[in-house]
Amino acid sequence: MSEHLSVEPGTTSPGTPQGVPKVAVITTGGTIACTADANGHLLPTVSGRDLLAPVAARFGADAINFEIHELNRLDSSSITFADIDELVAAVHRVLEDPEVVGVVVTHGTDSMEESAIAVDTFHTDDRPVIFTGAQKPFDHPQADGPENLFEACLIASDASARGIGVLVVFGRAVIPARGCTKWHTTDELAFATNGPEEPERPDPLAPAPLDGVRVEIIPAYPGAGGELVQAALDSGAQGLVVEAMGSGNVGTALGAALGRALDAGVPVVISTRVPRGEVSGVYGGAGGGATLAAKGAIGSRYFRSGQSRVLLAVSLATGQHPATLF
Ligand code: ASP
């Protein structure tokens, strides 16, 4: 179970004049909020208020009225669908305030792409939601968090960011949530997109809980058997994402196991382990992408396996056909 802090009522900057745009900042943990413990190990310890203080000072009280909602202090590698449900609900809750012009979510980079795509898919509002974080911890002499948070708040308060869904603002880049992937473990430009610059977004869906939905990711590699598929189904998986090879192909044994899953009515999405390009079902043979597509597997297009898993879970949670979400 993840540590959970209760959502405090928003804390607004004191002494802010009326009529100043309000930005809600939801903090969830991640390296941006980390400090080193006695062993030098990083842990998210910094409060939302302390995280925002230097950034708010840069804007000044006349520019933006900040409202801080400290939701969690998590390493994002431990985030669950239950945590994502809470984040989606928190975003919707802060947007109930008509004075809020935009939302910033501070988040760990390890699973930022998953949370961002979930919030985007359920984002039924024109106002921007901006995810940001850091590669270096809060107490690092060259911490990148304050600059990232400053730019995220700037864009969240900008009218031109309306109506384009959720964005990741990080290392001077502005990247749509759809197709965003963490592409570097340490570089300050942590994210890249594998999708179009302005991806088409499906109609946003009303939030539905993802907690309890089981979608497993099955890796493909030369010689992979069908055992992981069987184990996933035996343990209750309702859908599968395959991290296939190349443009979306798997070997003979894995292809046969996926064929059996599809015959049993289990939705299967084919993604790829290749960093760039779209999935396309062009090859025949037992595990070829065309064969899997003919059996009903859905190509993930430009989405990689992490975001594909969230989109398939959204499909299972809402009853929306998965192909409409990719
Ligand atoms: N492990 C950290 C996290 O995802 C990494 C980061 O934030 O950069 O929470």
Side-chain angles (χ1 to χ4, degrees), residues 29-32 34 74-77 107-111 134-135 170 182:
T31 299
I32 191 169
C34 275
L74 288 169
D75 190 299
S76 78
S77 52
H107 198 287
T109 58
D110 289 355
S111 70
Q135 289 280 49
F170 209 109
K182 185 171 182 182

Side-chain angles (χ1 to χ4, degrees), residues 23 25 30-33 51-52 54-56 58-59 64 66 103-109 112 129-138 142-157 167-175 182 186-191:
V23 169
V25 180
T31 299
I32 191 169
L51 206 57
L52 200 65
V55 175
R58 271 180 78 182
F59 279 102
I64 293 182
F66 287 104
V103 181
V104 171
V105 178
T106 62
H107 198 287
T109 58
M112 190 182 289
V129 178
I130 314 292
F131 277 70
T132 196
Q135 289 280 49
K136 296 188 179 76
F138 185 80
Q142 281 98 40
D144 53 333
E147 190 61 32
N148 286 344
L149 186 52
F150 177 80
E151 292 187 0
C153 293
L154 197 63
I155 292 172
S157 63
L167 301 172
V168 171
V169 171
F170 209 109
R172 297 279 152 111
V174 179
I175 300 172
K182 185 171 182 182
T186 55
D187 195 286
E188 286 186 8
L189 180 57
F191 290 90

Side-chain angles (χ1 to χ4, degrees), residues 229-321:
V229 171
Q230 202 49 54
L233 299 181
D234 288 348
S235 68
Q238 299 153 272
L240 301 175
V241 170
V242 183
E243 198 167 85
M245 295 177 280
S247 59
N249 312 300
V250 305
T252 303
L254 182 51
L258 292 172
R260 288 192 292 277
L262 286 160
D263 288 345
V266 176
V268 174
V269 172
I270 307 293
S271 184
T272 175
R273 66 182 190 175
V274 180
R276 287 285 175 268
E278 292 209 7
V279 165
S280 56
V282 290
Y283 293 90
T291 309
L292 297 171
K295 288 184 175 168
I298 293 154
S300 71
R301 299 186 58 215
Y302 55 80
F303 294 95
R304 292 307 184 254
S305 49
Q307 289 199 332
S308 298
R309 174 173 166 267
V310 173
L311 291 175
L312 183 52
V314 169
S315 154
L316 288 159
T318 58
Q320 188 78 14
H321 194 282

